[in-house]
Amino acid sequence: MSDPTVADTRRLNSKPQDLTDAYGPPSNFLEIDVYDPQTIGVGRNRFTTYEVRMQTNLPIFKLKDSVVRRRYSDFEWLKNELERDSKIVVPPLPGKALKRQLPFRGDEGIFEDSFIEERRVGLEQFINRLAGHPLAQNERCLHMFLQDESIDRNYIPGKCR
Amino acid sequence: MSFFSFGQSAEIDVVLTDAETRKKAEHKTEDGKKDKYFLFYDGETVSGKINVTLKNPGKRLEHQGIKIEFVGQIELYYDRGNHHEFVSLVKDLARPGELTQSQTFDFEFTHVEKPYETYTGQNVKLRYFLRATVSRRLNDISKEMDIVVHTLSTYPELNSSIKMEVGIEDCLHIEFEYNKSKYHLKDVIVGKIYFLLVRIKIKHMEIDIIKRETTGTGPSVYHENDTIAKYEIMDGAPVRGESIPIRLFLAGYEMTPTMRDINKKFSVRYYLNLVLIDEEERRYFKQQEITLWRKGDVVRKSMSSQATIGAQRFEGSASSESSLCNDCTVRSLVSIAL
């Protein structure tokens, strides 16, 4: 090999990109919406549920479009399962707001519209950050949370890949 | 040192023979200051003279001998007491006696071996210096002069490219390629990243140069990692089939040649770290070692035989460099004419 004195900085050869790859839909489409809060029940037995809709083209998810209803404690369950079974750093959930659950408040407490909206935004951020994590996508609890009608708390934890 | 010398004392001055012509190199000292020192290569002769100047011109200076040493040593910061000398040469300049007036002594260390490059790091220091000593019963008078040594290499015969397919199963597959595995300090890293599968939302990609200094052996090994450079090569989300080019000029960064197991005391190695960052700030990276070497400058007639042999491989390149310039001149004249 002859000694180059001025370095050759020309680009390395690469395959031209297939146009369907360049202009087609990307392979990383994943969007989860948390919306439509509904407060169910009466008096002290009330709780709020949210619709969780996932749209994706990732092959790891069985359904490409799924809708389920979840409440705050379901999100907590998911966080605990992942913290126990996987090595990932789970993103934070919006607060538990225990103070809002105390009696003798001037407002609606945890059923206050502004609080529900704040929580909805936090839950949406939480689930989007989590679902995009390659290691979280291996956990059965995530798939059950997103795509099964209801969460079976007696399920067998494990990996699905 | 001379607080209690009511008698005579002296100052020592070390002057190299070729002080006027020899090149100096910049070197950062332990406290971060940059200084210039005379530059030497392996095999070169170190010669000069020492001037011993009496402080009080009238009095005599009694001494137990005058000598000059050439020392190459490794100093580990966590073990300062022990200096590991790998080169130690002495020349006796005067037998025990007395100096009645200031005097100059010539010295020459012929074709000195300087096997390693001068290095000042986080936990270790390798230095070469001349030390002239006037021994006395109570306290010696000595003067040290540090020099800098560079180790030169030539273009390696074998310099394969680095090409590898890495990723996370079913999530991210990339093929990275760097044009060489051995780069000189003023070289350019030319490469590319080819995306085979992208199922994560990548925000940007960068390439870092990491310097790892390893000191110690066995159970007490210390690694000091230092990110020398961070260079963004892609901003935005790539898709399958895209190829991102890399062109990273090394001359802008302060680096040393790769040093492997120097005198069994320390190593300095360099790694390219390719980092992909997704929308949620998750980082995916792949580290790859590269070898850095120091290319010699234009040949000088004054160099020692060893250095000349090493530099001779550049003679061809020096002439081709000038012919390249000539071609450029001709072509540019032609285009102006058009």
Side-chain angles (χ1 to χ4, degrees):
Chain A
M1 167 183 130
S2 62
D3 293 349
T5 52
V6 181
D8 186 357
T9 58
R10 288 173 302 179
R11 288 189 183 184
L12 298 182
N13 288 330
S14 53
K15 280 191 287 231
Q17 189 182 24
D18 190 281
L19 287 181
T20 51
D21 284 339
Y23 293 102
S27 317
N28 59 6
F29 179 63
L30 172 68
E31 264 173 32
I32 304 177
D33 296 305
V34 175
Y35 59 101
D36 190 28
Q38 299 287 347
T39 302
I40 302 177
V42 284
R44 288 212 287 165
N45 299 322
R46 283 180 295 171
F47 61 94
T48 308
T49 62
Y50 305 83
E51 193 139 290
V52 179
R53 181 181 185 189
M54 179 167 83
Q55 291 165 290
T56 184
N57 65 0
L58 296 181
I60 188 121
F61 292 106
K62 268 209 285 264
L63 303 171
K64 301 307 164 211
D65 197 341
S66 63
V67 180
V68 294
R69 274 227 159 247
R70 296 283 180 256
R71 55 185 292 188
Y72 182 84
S73 54
D74 293 332
F75 285 83
E76 274 188 313
W77 169 87
L78 177 64
K79 182 171 200 277
N80 291 332
E81 290 297 297
L82 289 169
E83 278 174 347
R84 187 194 66 219
D85 289 342
S86 78
K87 297 196 193 96
I88 69 183
V89 176
V90 184
L93 271 174
K96 258 190 94 73
L98 287 168
K99 272 216 222 136
R100 282 184 175 263
Q101 294 180 51
L102 292 173
F104 309 121
R105 284 183 67 96
D107 61 15
E108 291 288 305
I110 57 168
F111 303 106
E112 189 72 27
D113 283 339
S114 59
F115 171 74
I116 287 179
E117 175 57 20
E118 224 181 82
R119 189 174 257 199
R120 183 200 70 75
V121 169
L123 292 175
E124 194 172 76
Q125 281 174 359
F126 167 83
I127 193 64
N128 272 289
R129 258 170 92 172
L130 199 48
H133 197 307
L135 292 180
Q137 288 168 4
N138 286 346
E139 300 290 331
R140 287 202 42 227
C141 53
L142 179 72
H143 291 262
M144 186 161 73
F145 177 93
L146 286 170
Q147 309 208 303
D148 285 5
E149 169 117 25
S150 55
I151 293 174
D152 176 10
R153 306 245 168 158
N154 298 318
Y155 84 120
I156 302 157
K159 312 263 187 272
C160 51
R161 185 164 43 189
Chain B
M1 190 169 74
S2 53
F3 290 133
F4 299 106
S5 61
F6 297 110
Q8 177 61 288
S9 185
E11 260 176 24
I12 310 177
D13 210 4
V14 181
V15 182
L16 296 179
T17 312
D18 49 9
E20 299 288 305
T21 51
R22 182 165 288 277
K23 257 178 136 176
K24 282 195 167 188
E26 256 189 24
H27 188 79
K28 212 191 254 183
T29 55
E30 215 181 308
D31 49 14
K33 253 182 53 178
K34 267 199 177 166
D35 249 326
K36 284 190 168 220
Y37 301 91
F38 285 110
L39 176 62
F40 281 87
Y41 299 100
D42 188 16
E44 283 194 292
T45 293
V46 184
S47 69
K49 52 177 182 259
I50 69 161
N51 301 320
V52 183
T53 314
L54 300 182
K55 285 221 179 114
N56 307 319
K59 295 201 177 144
R60 305 161 195 268
L61 177 73
E62 276 185 30
H63 66 83
Q64 319 300 115
I66 304 179
K67 66 176 184 214
I68 182 152
E69 298 166 276
F70 181 85
V71 179
Q73 74 182 27
I74 296 172
E75 189 183 306
L76 294 159
Y77 296 173
Y78 56 79
D79 188 19
R80 296 260 189 191
N82 291 327
H83 293 164
H84 305 273
E85 291 183 0
F86 55 89
V87 174
S88 182
L89 306 169
V90 189
K91 291 258 188 267
D92 284 316
L93 300 173
R95 277 194 313 241
E98 61 182 31
L99 291 179
T100 49
Q101 55 183 19
S102 303
Q103 206 170 329
T104 296
F105 300 88
D106 291 322
F107 70 87
E108 179 175 297
F109 294 102
T110 326
H111 298 317
V112 186
E113 244 190 57
K114 304 175 207 73
Y116 311 121
E117 173 148 328
T118 299
Y119 176 74
T120 303
Q122 303 261 58
N123 283 324
V124 63
K125 186 155 82 168
L126 189 153
R127 60 187 274 244
Y128 294 86
F129 56 95
L130 285 162
R131 178 168 54 210
T133 311
V134 174
S135 305
R136 298 200 295 175
R137 245 173 307 131
L138 286 177
N139 51 354
D140 295 343
I141 308 167
S142 74
K143 183 79 191 282
E144 280 183 9
M145 185 180 98
D146 269 64
I147 61 158
V148 158
V149 172
H150 282 173
T151 50
L152 300 179
S153 302
T154 54
Y155 279 98
E157 270 167 37
L158 210 63
N159 199 352
S160 50
S161 64
I162 303 170
K163 193 169 180 178
M164 226 180 269
E165 198 183 301
V166 295
I168 298 172
E169 193 80 45
D170 296 330
C171 278
L172 174 69
H173 289 183
I174 60 166
E175 187 191 73
F176 70 86
E177 187 179 341
Y178 305 128
N179 63 331
K180 303 181 197 174
S181 34
K182 301 174 189 148
Y183 293 93
H184 62 80
L185 298 179
K186 306 258 185 288
D187 215 334
V188 189
I189 297 176
V190 175
K192 73 177 206 282
I193 309 295
Y194 182 75
F195 288 91
L196 293 153
L197 179 71
V198 190
R199 294 213 179 116
I200 55 172
K201 296 181 186 172
I202 298 173
K203 196 165 66 168
H204 66 97
M205 178 165 66
E206 68 185 41
I207 195 159
D208 301 342
I209 302 177
I210 297 177
K211 170 182 161 192
R212 182 172 301 153
E213 180 193 285
T214 305
T215 47
T217 52
S220 59
V221 175
Y222 298 99
H223 293 293
E224 285 284 350
N225 288 333
D226 188 21
T227 303
I228 305 243
K230 275 187 189 229
Y231 191 70
E232 186 179 85
I233 56 174
M234 177 187 82
D235 185 23
V239 291
R240 175 173 60 202
E242 265 189 82
S243 209
I244 302 297
I246 298 168
R247 190 182 291 139
L248 181 53
F249 290 84
L250 296 178
Y253 305 107
E254 265 179 41
M255 297 187 297
T256 69
T258 293
M259 301 181 196
R260 288 200 176 90
D261 209 24
I262 299 300
N263 206 231
K264 301 205 204 308
K265 294 275 174 296
F266 71 94
S267 296
V268 181
R269 302 168 94 125
Y270 291 86
Y271 301 84
L272 287 180
N273 199 27
L274 181 70
V275 187
L276 293 98
I277 298 126
D278 74 11
E279 298 266 326
E280 305 295 349
E281 305 295 326
R282 287 181 284 255
R283 299 161 71 87
Y284 309 79
F285 59 91
K286 173 73 184 128
Q287 222 175 75
Q288 188 64 40
E289 185 175 2
I290 52 167
T291 303
L292 295 182
W293 55 278
R294 187 183 289 281
K295 191 162 81 113
D297 289 331
V298 182
V299 181
R300 294 242 221 147
K301 293 274 186 314
S302 57
M303 274 185 177
S304 75
S305 54
Q306 253 201 23
T308 314
I309 293 166
Q312 243 159 27
R313 300 202 201 181
F314 296 95
E315 295 236 66
S317 52
S319 53
S320 65
E321 190 181 327
S322 53
S323 63
L324 184 70
C325 288
N326 287 337
D327 281 347
C328 284
T329 321
V330 170
R331 269 194 237 112
S332 62
L333 285 175
V334 169
S335 56
I336 289 169
L338 289 172

PDB file of all heavy atoms in Angstrom, chain B residues 42-55:
ATOM      1  N   ASP B  42      14.203   8.111  19.979  1.00  0.00           N
ATOM      2  CA  ASP B  42      14.961   6.934  20.367  1.00  0.00           C
ATOM      3  C   ASP B  42      16.267   6.862  19.572  1.00  0.00           C
ATOM      4  O   ASP B  42      16.258   7.049  18.354  1.00  0.00           O
ATOM      5  CB  ASP B  42      14.108   5.682  20.106  1.00  0.00           C
ATOM      6  CG  ASP B  42      14.750   4.426  20.657  1.00  0.00           C
ATOM      7  OD1 ASP B  42      15.680   4.533  21.485  1.00  0.00           O
ATOM      8  OD2 ASP B  42      14.331   3.339  20.253  1.00  0.00           O
ATOM      9  N   GLY B  43      17.354   6.587  20.266  1.00  0.00           N
ATOM     10  CA  GLY B  43      18.637   6.400  19.574  1.00  0.00           C
ATOM     11  C   GLY B  43      19.453   7.667  19.409  1.00  0.00           C
ATOM     12  O   GLY B  43      20.634   7.603  19.051  1.00  0.00           O
ATOM     13  N   GLU B  44      18.850   8.807  19.645  1.00  0.00           N
ATOM     14  CA  GLU B  44      19.604  10.063  19.487  1.00  0.00           C
ATOM     15  C   GLU B  44      20.577  10.273  20.628  1.00  0.00           C
ATOM     16  O   GLU B  44      20.312   9.875  21.771  1.00  0.00           O
ATOM     17  CB  GLU B  44      18.648  11.245  19.437  1.00  0.00           C
ATOM     18  CG  GLU B  44      17.944  11.393  18.105  1.00  0.00           C
ATOM     19  CD  GLU B  44      17.286  12.749  18.004  1.00  0.00           C
ATOM     20  OE1 GLU B  44      16.319  13.002  18.743  1.00  0.00           O
ATOM     21  OE2 GLU B  44      17.746  13.551  17.174  1.00  0.00           O
ATOM     22  N   THR B  45      21.676  10.929  20.324  1.00  0.00           N
ATOM     23  CA  THR B  45      22.682  11.259  21.337  1.00  0.00           C
ATOM     24  C   THR B  45      22.228  12.490  22.112  1.00  0.00           C
ATOM     25  O   THR B  45      21.658  13.426  21.536  1.00  0.00           O
ATOM     26  CB  THR B  45      24.034  11.539  20.635  1.00  0.00           C
ATOM     27  OG1 THR B  45      24.492  10.311  20.070  1.00  0.00           O
ATOM     28  CG2 THR B  45      25.072  12.075  21.607  1.00  0.00           C
ATOM     29  N   VAL B  46      22.439  12.454  23.417  1.00  0.00           N
ATOM     30  CA  VAL B  46      22.129  13.608  24.263  1.00  0.00           C
ATOM     31  C   VAL B  46      23.454  14.156  24.763  1.00  0.00           C
ATOM     32  O   VAL B  46      24.160  13.507  25.538  1.00  0.00           O
ATOM     33  CB  VAL B  46      21.239  13.208  25.457  1.00  0.00           C
ATOM     34  CG1 VAL B  46      20.850  14.430  26.271  1.00  0.00           C
ATOM     35  CG2 VAL B  46      20.006  12.461  24.986  1.00  0.00           C
ATOM     36  N   SER B  47      23.812  15.343  24.287  1.00  0.00           N
ATOM     37  CA  SER B  47      25.118  15.884  24.669  1.00  0.00           C
ATOM     38  C   SER B  47      25.006  17.368  24.966  1.00  0.00           C
ATOM     39  O   SER B  47      24.070  18.040  24.531  1.00  0.00           O
ATOM     40  CB  SER B  47      26.130  15.664  23.544  1.00  0.00           C
ATOM     41  OG  SER B  47      25.814  16.471  22.431  1.00  0.00           O
ATOM     42  N   GLY B  48      25.970  17.843  25.709  1.00  0.00           N
ATOM     43  CA  GLY B  48      25.953  19.259  26.040  1.00  0.00           C
ATOM     44  C   GLY B  48      27.021  19.549  27.074  1.00  0.00           C
ATOM     45  O   GLY B  48      28.031  18.845  27.153  1.00  0.00           O
ATOM     46  N   LYS B  49      26.769  20.581  27.888  1.00  0.00           N
ATOM     47  CA  LYS B  49      27.705  20.878  28.958  1.00  0.00           C
ATOM     48  C   LYS B  49      26.946  21.391  30.157  1.00  0.00           C
ATOM     49  O   LYS B  49      25.821  21.892  30.037  1.00  0.00           O
ATOM     50  CB  LYS B  49      28.754  21.893  28.488  1.00  0.00           C
ATOM     51  CG  LYS B  49      28.187  23.159  27.857  1.00  0.00           C
ATOM     52  CD  LYS B  49      29.327  24.090  27.502  1.00  0.00           C
ATOM     53  CE  LYS B  49      28.815  25.373  26.918  1.00  0.00           C
ATOM     54  NZ  LYS B  49      28.923  25.380  25.463  1.00  0.00           N
ATOM     55  N   ILE B  50      27.591  21.234  31.323  1.00  0.00           N
ATOM     56  CA  ILE B  50      26.999  21.836  32.508  1.00  0.00           C
ATOM     57  C   ILE B  50      27.943  22.938  32.993  1.00  0.00           C
ATOM     58  O   ILE B  50      29.163  22.784  33.000  1.00  0.00           O
ATOM     59  CB  ILE B  50      26.697  20.813  33.628  1.00  0.00           C
ATOM     60  CG1 ILE B  50      27.962  20.247  34.250  1.00  0.00           C
ATOM     61  CG2 ILE B  50      25.804  19.699  33.119  1.00  0.00           C
ATOM     62  CD1 ILE B  50      27.678  19.624  35.610  1.00  0.00           C
ATOM     63  N   ASN B  51      27.341  24.076  33.338  1.00  0.00           N
ATOM     64  CA  ASN B  51      28.109  25.200  33.879  1.00  0.00           C
ATOM     65  C   ASN B  51      27.874  25.219  35.371  1.00  0.00           C
ATOM     66  O   ASN B  51      26.736  25.314  35.826  1.00  0.00           O
ATOM     67  CB  ASN B  51      27.617  26.539  33.293  1.00  0.00           C
ATOM     68  CG  ASN B  51      27.727  26.572  31.780  1.00  0.00           C
ATOM     69  OD1 ASN B  51      28.704  26.094  31.206  1.00  0.00           O
ATOM     70  ND2 ASN B  51      26.719  27.136  31.126  1.00  0.00           N
ATOM     71  N   VAL B  52      28.951  25.078  36.137  1.00  0.00           N
ATOM     72  CA  VAL B  52      28.847  25.199  37.584  1.00  0.00           C
ATOM     73  C   VAL B  52      29.364  26.592  37.938  1.00  0.00           C
ATOM     74  O   VAL B  52      30.552  26.898  37.759  1.00  0.00           O
ATOM     75  CB  VAL B  52      29.685  24.117  38.302  1.00  0.00           C
ATOM     76  CG1 VAL B  52      29.507  24.220  39.806  1.00  0.00           C
ATOM     77  CG2 VAL B  52      29.267  22.735  37.818  1.00  0.00           C
ATOM     78  N   THR B  53      28.466  27.461  38.386  1.00  0.00           N
ATOM     79  CA  THR B  53      28.823  28.854  38.688  1.00  0.00           C
ATOM     80  C   THR B  53      28.853  29.044  40.193  1.00  0.00           C
ATOM     81  O   THR B  53      27.852  28.804  40.877  1.00  0.00           O
ATOM     82  CB  THR B  53      27.774  29.806  38.076  1.00  0.00           C
ATOM     83  OG1 THR B  53      27.510  29.415  36.740  1.00  0.00           O
ATOM     84  CG2 THR B  53      28.250  31.251  38.123  1.00  0.00           C
ATOM     85  N   LEU B  54      30.007  29.439  40.709  1.00  0.00           N
ATOM     86  CA  LEU B  54      30.141  29.655  42.146  1.00  0.00           C
ATOM     87  C   LEU B  54      29.399  30.919  42.554  1.00  0.00           C
ATOM     88  O   LEU B  54      29.501  31.950  41.890  1.00  0.00           O
ATOM     89  CB  LEU B  54      31.623  29.775  42.529  1.00  0.00           C
ATOM     90  CG  LEU B  54      32.484  28.547  42.194  1.00  0.00           C
ATOM     91  CD1 LEU B  54      33.912  28.774  42.665  1.00  0.00           C
ATOM     92  CD2 LEU B  54      31.923  27.297  42.840  1.00  0.00           C
ATOM     93  N   LYS B  55      28.663  30.835  43.656  1.00  0.00           N
ATOM     94  CA  LYS B  55      27.876  31.987  44.103  1.00  0.00           C
ATOM     95  C   LYS B  55      28.772  33.088  44.685  1.00  0.00           C
ATOM     96  O   LYS B  55      28.576  34.264  44.408  1.00  0.00           O
ATOM     97  CB  LYS B  55      26.836  31.545  45.145  1.00  0.00           C
ATOM     98  CG  LYS B  55      25.662  30.796  44.535  1.00  0.00           C
ATOM     99  CD  LYS B  55      24.323  31.198  45.148  1.00  0.00           C
ATOM    100  CE  LYS B  55      23.191  30.445  44.494  1.00  0.00           C
ATOM    101  NZ  LYS B  55      22.505  29.531  45.395  1.00  0.00           N
TER     102      LYS B  55
END
